[in-house]
Amino acid sequence: MKLLEDAILQRGRVKDGDVLKVDAFLNHQMDVPLINEIGKEFYRLYKDQGVNKILTIEASGIGIACITAQHFGVPVVFAKKTQSRNIDGPVYTSKVTSFTHQREYDIIVSKSFLGPEDRVLLIDDFLARGSALLGLIELVHQSGASIVGAGICIEKGFDTGGKLVRDSGVPVESLSIIKEFRDGKVVFAD
Amino acid sequence: MKLLEDAILQRGRVKDGDVLKVDAFLNHQMDVPLINEIGKEFYRLYKDQGVNKILTIEASGIGIACITAQHFGVPVVFAKKTQSRNIDGPVYTSKVTSFTHQREYDIIVSKSFLGPEDRVLLIDDFLARGSALLGLIELVHQSGASIVGAGICIEKGFDTGGKLVRDSGVPVESLSIIKEFRDGKVVFAD
């Protein structure tokens, strides 16, 4: 998606250790008109799949998921990291290892909000090693819901997550795929 | 706002200890069409105030803020709880005590995304003791930005936060104000 790639080139910053910072427009300050275009594109890609629910993970996925959900006219459910005790009743749970925070945590979704009748689109900002996305997929499997696919804003194409998720049978549409960082610059896959 | 009050009455649950659970439509599963009506209402209330940025706090404020921001055509910035190390450079910081999680934590906003030129609308899902909102206000004061006001979905009118914030000079518009919980039912203020 050219608009997103342009934003990455113009407003992203590459840091040591293959870290791409997009906090100017995607995950700290959020460029809502740009995210609306992202949501439209996810809708174009998945509109014929009978999606009735969008699932994401707190925190940075939530805004993207909500704006995308406006195009589908469906609710969003976001998985919570379990520092929260503000959920009562039974939950689905899985584990996620955060590359950014370098720790493992549990994620949960209340059983009230995901079940066998659901056709779920997964949304997240980044796909790198795939831990968050695989954690969400595990939650959906526990619920008996169907996974339509995943919509990702930025995939690190050189990392392992994209292949892991696609090999598991879940379609992934990434709006930008980074092939490599070369001399501190982003190079996109064709 | 009648639509929100109806959702609270029909889909909210009152738990022991004056806890209102709205996870079916506001802060775990998110009813995006309802939240769009909430965003419209915040826009109606604040549209003439020159708002150029919306500030909220992760996680449950983000979706509401993003959808509200679509009506204003402005970016969202969300304050992060500082378990995140994924921010480099200088930050504004303040402290928040979570009633739900019963602990204190730091919240931060990068200095890149808030400054004296900004006219900020604060958005959050709940206002009870006011700790989160007062933390956001402190961040804005540090930045030199102006606060236009706060837009709150659900205010516990019997709690101390609303008076604290209004007495500090920040206008607050709450779309529903709970006067009390009586026999496990929500009673709204007139």
Side-chain angles (χ1 to χ4, degrees):
Chain A
M1 183 186 179
K2 183 162 188 320
L3 202 63
L4 177 57
E5 290 186 352
D6 287 349
I8 292 167
L9 293 175
Q10 290 158 20
R11 303 163 72 189
R13 290 172 297 132
V14 179
K15 313 289 289 186
D16 290 343
D18 288 354
V19 173
L20 171 66
K21 302 283 294 178
V22 290
D23 54 1
F25 59 95
L26 198 62
N27 55 18
H28 182 23
Q29 181 167 251
M30 305 188 69
D31 180 336
V32 171
L34 170 62
I35 293 168
N36 194 40
E37 294 304 314
I38 288 171
K40 266 188 212 168
E41 182 65 5
F42 287 140
Y43 180 67
R44 188 184 70 78
L45 292 163
Y46 285 110
K47 68 178 173 351
D48 300 323
Q49 307 283 321
V51 172
N52 74 331
K53 201 158 279 185
I54 290 178
L55 178 67
T56 187
I57 182 170
E58 65 178 18
S60 25
I62 298 174
I64 302 161
C66 282
I67 287 178
T68 301
Q70 288 190 302
H71 296 281
F72 285 89
V74 302
V76 167
V77 174
F78 63 88
K80 300 195 177 202
K81 297 167 184 172
T82 52
Q83 69 204 27
S84 177
R85 294 281 158 261
N86 198 15
I87 287 195
D88 50 5
V91 296
Y92 309 113
T93 181
S94 65
K95 285 196 184 300
V96 168
T97 304
S98 168
F99 173 62
T100 310
H101 305 140
Q102 304 205 320
R103 65 186 188 86
E104 189 178 71
Y105 49 88
D106 295 319
I107 62 171
I108 55 178
V109 164
S110 166
K111 290 190 178 178
S112 305
F113 306 132
L114 211 55
E117 70 286 3
D118 288 321
R119 292 183 58 79
V120 178
L121 173 63
L122 307 170
I123 293 284
D124 209 0
D125 54 348
F126 269 97
L127 171 59
R129 297 190 187 179
S131 181
L133 197 51
L134 291 164
L136 291 176
I137 290 167
E138 168 62 23
L139 293 181
V140 178
H141 286 161
Q142 289 173 24
S143 76
S146 306
I147 301 178
V148 164
I152 300 294
C153 297
I154 304 173
E155 177 178 345
K156 290 181 172 174
F158 55 84
D159 214 329
T160 51
K163 180 168 166 41
L164 269 175
V165 174
R166 290 179 181 98
D167 284 354
S168 82
V170 173
V172 178
E173 295 279 4
S174 295
L175 303 191
S176 64
I177 300 181
I178 297 172
K179 185 172 139 193
E180 61 177 324
F181 296 109
R182 192 188 299 160
D183 304 329
K185 302 279 185 198
V186 174
V187 181
F188 293 106
D190 293 332
Chain B
M1 182 186 183
K2 181 159 189 326
L3 202 63
L4 176 57
E5 290 185 353
D6 287 349
I8 293 167
L9 293 175
Q10 290 159 20
R11 303 163 71 189
R13 289 172 298 132
V14 179
K15 312 289 289 185
D16 291 343
D18 288 354
V19 173
L20 172 66
K21 303 283 295 178
V22 290
D23 53 1
F25 59 95
L26 198 62
N27 55 19
H28 182 25
Q29 181 167 251
M30 305 187 70
D31 179 337
V32 170
L34 170 63
I35 293 169
N36 194 40
E37 295 303 314
I38 289 171
K40 268 189 211 167
E41 182 65 6
F42 287 141
Y43 180 67
R44 189 185 69 78
L45 292 164
Y46 285 111
K47 69 179 174 344
D48 300 323
Q49 308 283 320
V51 172
N52 74 331
K53 202 159 278 186
I54 289 179
L55 179 66
T56 188
I57 181 169
E58 65 179 18
S60 28
I62 297 174
I64 302 162
C66 282
I67 287 178
T68 301
Q70 288 190 303
H71 295 280
F72 285 89
V74 302
V76 166
V77 174
F78 63 88
K80 298 195 178 203
K81 298 166 185 174
T82 52
Q83 68 203 27
S84 177
R85 295 281 157 261
N86 198 15
I87 287 196
D88 50 7
V91 296
Y92 309 113
T93 181
S94 64
K95 284 195 185 301
V96 167
T97 304
S98 167
F99 173 62
T100 310
H101 305 140
Q102 305 205 321
R103 64 186 190 88
E104 189 177 70
Y105 49 87
D106 295 319
I107 61 170
I108 56 178
V109 165
S110 166
K111 290 191 178 178
S112 305
F113 306 133
L114 212 53
E117 69 286 3
D118 287 321
R119 291 182 58 78
V120 178
L121 173 63
L122 307 170
I123 293 284
D124 209 0
D125 54 348
F126 268 96
L127 171 58
R129 297 189 187 178
S131 181
L133 197 51
L134 291 165
L136 291 177
I137 290 167
E138 168 63 22
L139 293 180
V140 179
H141 286 160
Q142 288 173 25
S143 76
S146 306
I147 301 178
V148 164
I152 300 294
C153 297
I154 304 173
E155 177 178 345
K156 289 181 173 174
F158 55 85
D159 215 327
T160 50
K163 180 166 165 45
L164 269 174
V165 174
R166 291 180 180 97
D167 284 354
S168 81
V170 172
V172 178
E173 296 279 5
S174 295
L175 302 191
S176 64
I177 300 181
I178 296 172
K179 186 173 137 194
E180 62 177 325
F181 295 108
R182 192 189 299 160
D183 303 329
K185 302 280 185 198
V186 173
V187 181
F188 292 108
D190 293 333

